[in-house]
Amino acid sequence: MELNIRKLTESDWDLLVKWWGMYPEWKQHPTKDMLPDNGTGGFIVEKDNTPIVAGFLYTTNSKVGWMEWIVSDKNYKNKDKKDAIELLITGMEHVARGSGCKIILSIGRNNNLINSHKQLGYTVDSKPSYEIAKQI
C-alpha cells in the first residue's frame, strides 16, 4: 500500500506526545495552545493505517510559512520512512503555497531530516544557528 498524508485530528494528540517522549533531547514538547489550530494544524503520514511522521505548519498574514515540531515514530524502521518524511515536507509545502506563502522555513538538527530538506531543494545554511526561546 502507498503512503497517505492527512490532516491531524484531535485523536492524534496522544500519539504525538508519545513520539515526542521517544526523543530525550526534546526536553519539552509543545502544548496544544502553542500549535496551529490547537494541535490540529498539521499533517501526519501513514502507511497501511500505521502512523510514521507528523509535523505542523504555521501560517500568518505574511507570505512566510513555518514548518515545525516534525516528529516520527522512533521505532518505525521501515525503509519507506525517508519517503514518508519527504511526503510530509512536500505536502506542507503545497499547503503553504496554496495559502499564499512565498517561502517556507524550518529548524532542524536531525541529520536525516536535514538531508531530506536538501534533497527537496531547500537551502541549509552551513553555519549553525541557535534556537532562541523564552517562556513568557
Side-chain angles (χ1 to χ4, degrees), residues 16-24 26 29 71:
L16 297 177
V17 171
K18 177 182 171 186
W19 284 355
W20 283 315
M22 292 178 169
Y23 296 89
W26 284 24
H29 68 77
V71 65

Side-chain angles (χ1 to χ4, degrees), residues 20-29 74 109-110 131:
W20 283 315
M22 292 178 169
Y23 296 89
E25 61 273 20
W26 284 24
K27 307 236 184 287
Q28 183 177 354
H29 68 77
K74 196 171 190 173
R109 67 175 63 101
N110 176 283
E131 297 170 17

Side-chain angles (χ1 to χ4, degrees), residues 10 15-16 20-21 26 29 33 39 44-46 55-56 69 71 80 88 99 113:
E10 185 69 33
L15 176 65
L16 297 177
W20 283 315
W26 284 24
H29 68 77
D33 60 351
I44 190 164
V45 175
E46 302 171 321
F56 292 86
W69 303 107
V71 65
D80 54 11
L88 177 69
S99 297
L113 187 58

